[in-house]
Amino acid sequence: MATEQTAARVTRRRVRTRARLLDAAFTVFAAKGFGRVSIEEVCEAAGFSRGAFYSNFATLDELFFALYQERADLIAEQVADALALDGPVLDVPASVARVTEVLLLDVDWLLVKTDFLVHAARRPAVAQALLDHRARLRGAIADRLPRAAGHTLPAALGDADGAAHAVVAAYDGVTTQLLLDRDVEAARAWLGHLLTALLTDGSTTPHES
Amino acid sequence: MATEQTAARVTRRRVRTRARLLDAAFTVFAAKGFGRVSIEEVCEAAGFSRGAFYSNFATLDELFFALYQERADLIAEQVADALALDGPVLDVPASVARVTEVLLLDVDWLLVKTDFLVHAARRPAVAQALLDHRARLRGAIADRLPRAAGHTLPAALGDADGAAHAVVAAYDGVTTQLLLDRDVEAARAWLGHLLTALLTDGSTTPHES
DNA sequence: TCCATCGGATACGTGAATGTATCGGATACG
DNA sequence: CGTATCCGATACATTCACGTATCCGATGGA
């Protein structure tokens, strides 16, 4: 829409307060859940009063959306990087290990992310945005998968996009368990097993943990 | 604890109002999300006033827990039945189809279930109860899986319990996508693909949809 | 250095949800 | 048929979050 010139000046102060609000919101959302957080709590955690909030956002939903987009984009980027690290050929086990590390880094993020999922599930517009984001993430994976060395990407999953779909599903599935038992290491191991089981045919068996 | 004799009399009326409250709660929770529902809304939907609620539950959390347990137990039972339908040998594709049907029946239930997940994720005691429930469900699956005819349950998943774990993870993963796109049929197909991919080795390929 | 504009704080009124305390009617039992 | 008990409704006071309107100080340009 408007370039930074025509748009109302965004002072340095403003971007900092906005960032502080977003950070504080992440903390509070992770701790209590989006549904149980008031605008005032976020402001308090950020060290502002409510006026600051209403000057930057119209509603808590809006802030939540901005918060999700910011972090999700960051993670998508990291995943893409993790898959791009190899040369022209993809080393599947190594990539799985790196991606696993990135995706299951922070339980707090998973909490907020799941909160956002149920939030979006009841708001078609938000759901669409989330679907788009997931599609982009899958695209980044699918683009890289065909370069797998020697592997036939065999499974009943169909094409590369199907495989990417399966990867995301495995991630989401492991996330659910992790949210309950909070065992990050076990979750990483599990995700690794699932991904290798899905991405390699039955003949190849992964090394035991 | 107390048998029905020693316990305070439970009149017929009481069980009916309790059931009506739970049903109404399910509807309202599915529509707006647990976090955005007031006690009064539940009572209104059930056709009662708040007095009825406080006479049956101490808090909304308590009602939520009862609601989840009721429905989850019912579904676990249905899954067990679906797997028990075969004779001594398990017909994997048929079982997968039946289980898929049971698990992805109702989007409203998935909404409430996911709400409960994030709810439990922040309350250790509730999380433990949910973990127990999931363990029971996995047990029911793992008990049946070894009877698979001819199949070696090959994958990198380890024993039968590992395979059951994978089944649940696939279910959870597909659920996430379904919550966003609301395409039940696609979700069923996907879950079917994932399960067959996980439970059969690479040599066996499922029929195309 | 002065001034105009902007960002954030404070104060206020409003609506809603909560939990309790009390009341009236139905139900089961003698 | 009477009665004690229990269940659910109503009324009430309190707390809490919201959104707005107004005000003060800071920031950045002239």
Side-chain angles (χ1 to χ4, degrees):
Chain A
M1 297 290 186
T3 70
E4 291 181 1
Q5 304 173 5
T6 60
R9 271 211 325 269
V10 274
T11 59
R12 239 160 265 153
R13 182 160 66 134
R14 194 167 179 74
V15 305
R16 281 199 56 231
T17 53
R18 194 185 143 99
R20 274 173 62 189
L21 279 172
L22 287 173
D23 277 5
F26 177 81
T27 304
V28 179
F29 287 173
K32 308 188 49 175
F34 175 67
R36 301 209 170 282
V37 166
S38 69
I39 291 176
E40 184 153 15
E41 270 174 299
V42 174
C43 299
E44 199 173 339
F48 290 110
S49 213
R50 291 217 316 291
F53 175 88
Y54 285 105
S55 171
N56 282 277
F57 303 96
T59 158
L60 246 198
D61 286 24
E62 189 181 313
L63 179 150
F64 198 18
F65 189 81
L67 170 60
Y68 178 85
Q69 212 161 40
E70 191 188 62
R71 305 244 171 181
D73 282 349
L74 196 125
I75 288 184
E77 193 181 332
Q78 290 176 334
V79 168
D81 288 354
L83 287 177
L85 267 188
D86 295 326
V89 266
L90 188 72
D91 179 2
V92 171
S95 293
V96 163
R98 284 199 304 269
V99 169
T100 295
E101 196 102 354
V102 171
L103 285 181
L104 297 180
L105 187 65
D106 182 8
V107 177
D108 279 349
W109 165 245
L110 296 181
L111 278 166
V112 174
K113 186 169 95 72
T114 310
D115 256 7
F116 192 72
L117 169 70
V118 288
H119 176 74
R122 294 188 177 84
R123 288 161 186 80
V126 183
Q128 189 54 55
L130 221 178
L131 281 170
D132 290 350
H133 182 267
R134 287 166 65 92
R136 259 178 280 133
L137 186 61
R138 286 202 309 271
I141 297 173
D143 283 350
R144 282 278 153 186
L145 274 186
R147 307 188 177 280
H151 290 293
T152 36
L153 273 191
L157 304 172
D159 53 358
D161 192 71
H165 223 116
V167 170
V168 173
Y171 168 49
D172 290 331
V174 170
T175 295
T176 302
Q177 178 72 14
L178 173 53
L179 283 178
L180 294 173
D181 65 19
R182 304 243 176 177
D183 189 338
V184 178
E185 280 317 312
R188 286 215 186 102
W190 250 106
L191 183 54
H193 282 156
L194 281 179
L195 289 185
T196 47
L198 285 170
L199 295 182
T200 68
D201 52 21
S203 59
T204 319
T205 49
H207 52 289
E208 197 59 42
S209 64
Chain B
M1 296 290 187
T3 70
E4 291 182 0
Q5 304 171 5
T6 59
R9 270 209 327 268
V10 273
T11 60
R12 237 160 270 155
R13 180 160 67 134
R14 194 166 180 75
V15 304
R16 279 198 56 232
T17 53
R18 195 185 140 99
R20 274 173 61 190
L21 279 172
L22 286 174
D23 276 6
F26 176 81
T27 304
V28 180
F29 287 174
K32 308 189 47 175
F34 175 68
R36 302 210 168 281
V37 166
S38 70
I39 292 176
E40 184 154 16
E41 268 173 300
V42 174
C43 299
E44 199 173 336
F48 291 108
S49 213
R50 294 217 318 289
F53 176 89
Y54 284 107
S55 171
N56 282 276
F57 303 96
T59 159
L60 247 197
D61 286 24
E62 189 180 313
L63 179 150
F64 198 17
F65 189 81
L67 170 60
Y68 178 83
Q69 210 160 41
E70 190 188 62
R71 305 245 172 178
D73 281 349
L74 197 125
I75 288 184
E77 194 181 331
Q78 290 176 334
V79 169
D81 288 354
L83 286 177
L85 267 188
D86 295 325
V89 265
L90 188 72
D91 179 1
V92 170
S95 293
V96 163
R98 281 200 304 270
V99 169
T100 294
E101 195 102 355
V102 171
L103 285 180
L104 297 180
L105 187 64
D106 181 10
V107 177
D108 278 351
W109 165 244
L110 296 182
L111 278 166
V112 173
K113 186 169 95 72
T114 310
D115 255 7
F116 192 72
L117 169 69
V118 289
H119 176 75
R122 295 188 176 85
R123 288 160 186 81
V126 182
Q128 190 53 54
L130 220 178
L131 281 170
D132 290 349
H133 182 266
R134 286 166 66 91
R136 259 179 280 132
L137 187 61
R138 286 202 308 271
I141 296 173
D143 284 350
R144 282 278 154 185
L145 275 186
R147 306 188 180 279
H151 289 294
T152 35
L153 274 191
L157 304 173
D159 53 357
D161 192 70
H165 224 115
V167 170
V168 173
Y171 168 49
D172 290 331
V174 170
T175 294
T176 302
Q177 178 72 14
L178 173 53
L179 283 178
L180 294 173
D181 63 20
R182 304 243 178 180
D183 188 338
V184 178
E185 281 316 314
R188 284 214 187 104
W190 250 106
L191 183 55
H193 282 154
L194 281 179
L195 289 184
T196 46
L198 285 170
L199 296 182
T200 67
D201 52 20
S203 59
T204 318
T205 49
H207 53 288
E208 198 57 41
S209 64

